[in-house]
Amino acid sequence: MSSLVIAIDGGAASGKSTIARAVAARYELEYIDSGSFYRFLTYRFLELRVPMEESAVLAALPAIRFEFRLGKHRRKGHILTRELRSPLVESQVSFVAAIPAIREKVNEALRQLVEGRRAVVEGRDIGTVVFPTSPLKLFLVADLKVRNRRRVHQRRGLGLRAGEEEVQENLRLRDRIDSTRSVAPLEPALDALIVDTSQLSLDETLSQIFALVEERLGSPQLTPCPLP
Ligand code: DC
């Protein structure tokens, strides 16, 4: 069965999630946040008290299963949301995501999930590595200050601690690790469309992106429906 994937990549807090969810809702596509798979594995390593060293992580990996249903990660039936965004997970996830075997496990899970479906998948390497044949690859960028403001707002909305300096330091550090790792670094695919959202409101960003979707994919493959 054929699949359709719209790939949305970009740095931490570049607006990927908000935009990917809106595109998925408008065109009735599934929404998949690939970063949550790296967060889930990091959470499980921490829960199992696995030392954050490559050999220990690799030894623990085969025993870990994704419990992903209806767009949510679960653990013994309990839906994980805040747990995947704890400061501890946040501080370790880039290390975990830089390990090639971890990336293979996540990529395999993503490809299985998308098989025969139409989906918007967001991440860092969706257009370059996971779904390189995607007919529409968007790469989002925004100034660090703007991204910092968004992430502080998002964390406070989830009832999580969010000091501005701490958040900015974390964004800067994660971007550095994600962009400089040897496997699947954060970078736009050669055929990605780069969208800078620094100066745009959410509405402006979305209308630009909906126009790109329809220009590239037309409506036959996608059935637009009104925004919720
Ligand atoms: O998008 P996010 O902040 O939830 O991502 C969490 C971490 O996972 C981030 O540090 C980078 C990594 N990641 C990745 O390496 N590749 C992806 N496709 C998605 C996320």
Side-chain angles (χ1 to χ4, degrees):
M1 254 197 288
S2 66
S3 318
L4 169 75
V5 171
I6 295 180
I8 303 191
D9 289 302
S14 58
K16 294 184 307 285
S17 302
T18 311
I19 291 165
R21 281 177 204 277
V23 171
R26 182 169 170 88
Y27 300 103
E28 295 185 312
L29 308 173
E30 306 227 9
Y31 161 71
I32 299 172
D33 166 13
S34 63
S36 70
F37 285 72
Y38 293 101
R39 289 173 181 271
F40 175 83
L41 292 178
T42 307
Y43 170 79
R44 292 286 286 122
F45 293 136
L46 291 167
E47 193 182 43
L48 295 167
R49 303 197 188 289
V50 175
M52 286 294 166
E53 292 158 14
E54 187 162 342
S55 57
V57 161
L58 290 181
L61 188 61
I64 300 183
R65 300 259 171 279
F66 290 114
E67 298 170 41
F68 187 79
R69 267 182 297 122
L70 302 173
K72 306 266 189 253
H73 291 277
R74 290 148 208 263
R75 176 85 188 106
K76 295 182 180 157
H78 167 73
I79 294 177
L80 302 172
T81 45
R82 285 178 52 156
E83 292 87 342
L84 302 187
R85 303 211 157 256
S86 74
L88 202 51
V89 167
E90 202 103 310
S91 67
Q92 302 298 321
V93 65
S94 283
F95 164 75
V96 170
I99 301 173
I102 298 271
R103 304 200 66 82
E104 278 165 32
K105 182 167 178 126
V106 170
N107 294 348
E108 195 186 305
L110 295 173
R111 291 181 186 127
Q112 271 180 15
L113 261 175
V114 159
E115 185 65 41
R117 298 207 162 92
R118 305 182 318 155
V120 180
V121 186
E122 65 148 293
R124 304 291 191 291
D125 60 342
I126 304 305
T128 48
V129 174
V130 193
F131 297 109
T133 59
S134 158
L136 178 61
K137 301 173 183 174
L138 300 172
F139 192 88
L140 303 182
V141 294
D143 295 342
L144 182 61
K145 269 196 183 144
V146 174
R147 293 191 290 132
N148 191 36
R149 215 182 315 125
R150 289 178 186 156
R151 184 48 59 97
V152 166
H153 183 72
Q154 179 196 36
R155 291 186 62 77
R156 291 187 181 155
L158 284 169
L160 293 166
R161 201 161 46 93
E164 293 201 5
E165 274 177 29
E166 184 194 357
V167 169
Q168 180 154 319
E169 204 32 57
N170 180 266
L171 287 181
R172 211 196 295 267
L173 181 68
R174 280 180 40 205
D175 275 358
R176 195 168 64 234
I177 301 177
D178 295 341
S179 314
T180 55
R181 68 181 174 223
S182 55
V183 185
L186 168 66
E187 62 183 1
L190 289 176
D191 54 348
L193 304 172
I194 298 185
V195 180
D196 186 339
T197 67
S198 311
Q199 308 292 329
L200 302 177
S201 69
L202 178 58
D203 281 352
E204 288 167 337
T205 307
L206 288 179
S207 40
Q208 208 179 91
I209 286 178
F210 293 157
L212 289 173
V213 170
E214 286 168 32
E215 193 182 299
R216 269 298 162 100
L217 303 176
S219 301
Q221 282 162 287
L222 301 165
T223 321
C225 64
L227 272 176

